[in-house]
Amino acid sequence: MKKTGRKILSLIMTILVLGSMCTAAFAEAAPAEETAAAATGAEAALPAAEDSGIIDAAALQQWMDSFVQEHNLNQDYMRFSVGFWYSGTGDSWYYDADQWMYSASLYKVPVSMLMAEKEAAGELTQDTVVNGTTLEYLESTALIYSNNDSGHSMVSWLGGTYSGKCSDMTIRFTDLPESYFEQDFYDVSYYTARYMTQVMRTLYQGGDAKFPHVLDYLKQAQPDDYYNRNAALKGSYTIAQKFGAYEEGNGNNNNHCAAVIYTPNPIVVTVMTRNVGEYQNIIAAVGGYLADYALQLDQKLESWKQEQAERAAAELAAAEQAAAQQAEASSGTGEAAAPEAQSVASTTAVSAETDPVSVPGQTEENRTTVQKTADRPAAQKRIPTAVLIIVGVLVAVLVIAAVLLAAMRRRAAEEPDEEQLDWQEAEPAKAAPARNRRAERPAEEHRAEAPKRRSAAASRPAGKKESDGGYQPRH
């Protein structure tokens, strides 16, 4: 009986394993888009705004490739990264922007933003004494003159480390997932152009209401250098910029600059370089080109908005038509599908009526992600029928197995154990009472002991007899 139970349990386990393997196989056959996104890790979480929106990514890529070739910026020991953000639509574009380089003094911008947040919340003022001097002195000297002691003092007051520069506290100034950041970001303050561009975007969007005085101080920094070295930029626009320059112990020479350039629709430009000669001229040239490109975007901004509105209206009409057809098709089987169709239509209407350009703080990265989710076919959201069938079969097997095991237990309780019976038959002497074993003694031994018993009886006193009670008087 026990062997039979073990066989049944083994069969059940085999069926469960096979069912799990089948379910996994069907899961691997999911839509390619979802599978690819899960397989690429942190890179899949990065925004892809450069592939959509008002920005012509191909045109920018072509210009930048030519610029790199012209200035020999593609040497093995060099690094050259660019980030660009256009406030007119919230679109971004990046060029090799995920190269990790030492931040140098760029860290003073996000650290000052952390301090400014506390001032906006009423915890600090410009006159508050921080580590022996006022907050005004620390922020102004760190941002205008890039004073290292002031920057380190703010880091210390915030609880950061000398090498880490409070980097872990500043991730929230970006849309980037934590998986994007390498350990050097936390340990030794390494940045990328993508990270720094998003920090400057957050600073611009928050303005004085959220980050008081930070932009004002940056507008006074380096009046004749970096982006201000471009005469066309300096003579036309206000520039709030922060540079970083540092030569590492291994000989790598890092020179960067991140800025808000106040074109009619302000832009953020970040250029990070390593081991690049004439880096200030390179930075100024890139800033000038992207400022001119922003003016081109301004010229087609209104027509682009009109195109987006027309596209949204067309999508709304198509969604309403699809909802109506679905409701009509479902009317024959009941009214259960009507609320669902109405919900689809209302959700689409809300998303279409919201102008993607007029939402403050919303970037094209966010809109692209939301749109991909909304456009995903309903068939991809449902659980595959084959998986449901496999699950049903597994449940049925488990129920049948439970019934069989219950029947086996009842049968085992009603019948004696075969092993116990075998044991009793093999050793009858151990199971029999002691008196039966005396009866089975050989007859010769019994006759030999008879004279001894008669002699003992003759020598016993007349008033005694064998009894459990000892001496018994005669009556």
Side-chain angles (χ1 to χ4, degrees):
M1 186 65 68
K2 291 183 179 180
K3 293 181 179 180
T4 303
R6 294 192 189 99
K7 291 181 180 179
I8 293 177
L9 290 175
S10 300
L11 178 61
I12 293 172
M13 293 300 297
T14 302
I15 294 175
L16 290 176
V17 171
L18 292 176
S20 300
M21 294 174 62
C22 294
T23 304
F26 279 102
E28 291 177 357
E33 177 183 335
E34 298 180 2
T35 305
T40 53
E43 295 181 359
L46 294 179
E50 53 265 39
D51 298 328
S52 60
I54 194 173
I55 293 177
D56 187 345
L60 286 181
Q61 182 75 28
Q62 182 179 2
W63 180 87
M64 197 63 68
D65 287 341
S66 299
F67 183 83
V68 168
Q69 292 291 333
E70 179 184 354
H71 295 277
N72 295 319
L73 300 178
N74 56 353
Q75 304 299 320
D76 291 339
Y77 58 89
M78 291 182 178
R79 293 290 185 272
F80 174 72
S81 300
V82 178
F84 171 63
W85 177 75
Y86 176 62
S87 66
T89 60
D91 292 337
S92 301
W93 177 82
Y94 300 99
Y95 183 85
D96 203 15
D98 301 310
Q99 296 283 348
W100 292 94
M101 290 178 257
Y102 184 65
S103 65
S105 289
L106 290 183
Y107 81 89
K108 294 167 186 173
V109 174
V111 167
S112 295
M113 291 167 64
L114 292 172
M115 300 294 287
E117 278 187 326
K118 296 183 179 299
E119 183 178 356
E123 301 177 29
L124 301 173
T125 69
Q126 289 285 284
D127 297 327
T128 301
V129 176
V130 176
N131 289 341
T133 188
T134 63
L135 176 61
E136 178 184 8
Y137 176 84
L138 294 178
E139 288 184 342
S140 62
T141 55
L143 296 175
I144 299 175
Y145 308 109
S146 199
N147 185 287
N148 290 328
D149 291 337
S150 296
H152 296 156
S153 182
M154 289 189 290
V155 168
S156 174
W157 189 85
L158 289 166
T161 63
Y162 177 86
S163 58
K165 305 293 193 300
C166 301
S167 295
D168 58 326
M169 306 179 192
T170 65
I171 293 177
R172 58 187 177 85
F173 294 148
T174 75
D175 297 330
L176 300 171
E178 291 188 7
S179 58
Y180 172 80
F181 297 92
E182 295 185 354
Q183 193 61 38
D184 283 345
F185 171 79
Y186 301 98
D187 295 343
V188 288
S189 186
Y190 268 49
Y191 288 0
T192 67
R194 187 186 297 272
Y195 162 82
M196 197 62 203
T197 299
Q198 294 197 11
V199 169
M200 296 297 289
R201 178 203 67 193
T202 301
L203 173 61
Y204 167 77
Q205 291 175 331
D208 286 340
K210 190 171 183 179
F211 308 107
H213 308 293
V214 175
L215 284 170
D216 291 337
Y217 292 141
L218 291 177
K219 291 174 183 177
Q220 305 174 49
Q222 303 297 309
D224 298 316
D225 292 320
Y226 293 94
Y227 294 110
N228 279 323
R229 181 167 286 200
N230 187 310
L233 286 178
K234 182 178 179 180
S236 303
Y237 313 113
T238 300
I239 300 175
Q241 64 180 351
K242 183 70 192 78
F243 80 98
Y246 185 81
E247 184 175 355
E248 299 178 77
N250 57 11
N252 286 328
N253 194 5
N254 301 275
N255 292 277
H256 327 302
C257 196
V260 177
I261 302 176
Y262 286 83
T263 53
N265 285 292
I267 61 174
V268 170
V269 180
T270 300
V271 179
M272 298 184 68
T273 72
R274 177 190 291 171
N275 301 325
V276 172
E278 297 295 329
Y279 54 86
Q280 287 211 38
N281 293 333
I282 295 294
I283 291 171
V286 172
Y289 176 82
L290 291 176
D292 290 341
Y293 183 73
L295 297 180
Q296 299 176 27
L297 298 180
D298 290 344
Q299 294 177 359
K300 63 179 183 179
L301 181 58
E302 292 302 322
S303 60
W304 183 83
K305 288 182 178 180
Q306 182 62 31
E307 292 176 0
Q308 298 303 304
E310 293 175 355
R311 179 184 301 177
E315 292 176 354
L316 174 61
E320 291 178 344
Q321 182 179 2
Q325 292 176 352
Q326 183 178 0
E328 182 178 355
S330 302
S331 60
T333 58
E335 300 180 356
E340 180 181 356
Q342 184 178 1
S343 175
V344 171
S346 61
T347 302
T348 307
V350 171
S351 62
E353 291 171 0
T354 303
D355 185 359
V357 178
S358 63
V359 179
Q362 185 184 30
T363 65
E364 182 63 28
E365 294 96 319
N366 305 133
R367 296 196 295 274
T368 302
T369 302
V370 172
Q371 187 63 35
K372 286 182 179 179
T373 302
D375 292 344
R376 183 180 299 168
Q380 296 183 11
K381 300 178 182 179
R382 294 194 297 267
I383 300 175
T385 304
V387 175
L388 295 176
I389 294 175
I390 292 174
V391 173
V393 171
L394 294 177
V395 172
V397 170
L398 291 175
V399 172
I400 295 173
V403 173
L404 291 175
L405 289 175
M408 292 169 58
R409 291 193 182 96
R410 287 196 300 269
R411 181 177 178 182
E414 295 173 357
E415 297 180 358
D417 195 337
E418 296 177 359
E419 296 181 0
Q420 181 67 22
L421 291 176
D422 294 341
W423 179 81
Q424 290 180 359
E425 293 175 359
E427 300 184 15
K430 295 182 180 179
R435 61 179 178 274
N436 292 337
R437 292 200 303 269
R438 186 190 305 174
E440 295 171 0
R441 294 168 63 185
E444 292 80 4
E445 183 180 352
H446 185 71
R447 286 193 297 269
E449 291 179 357
K452 295 181 181 180
R453 289 196 297 271
R454 287 194 296 270
S455 176
S459 62
R460 186 183 303 127
K464 294 184 179 181
K465 66 177 180 179
E466 275 189 321
S467 172
D468 291 338
Y471 173 77
Q472 297 292 333
R474 294 177 180 270
H475 297 287

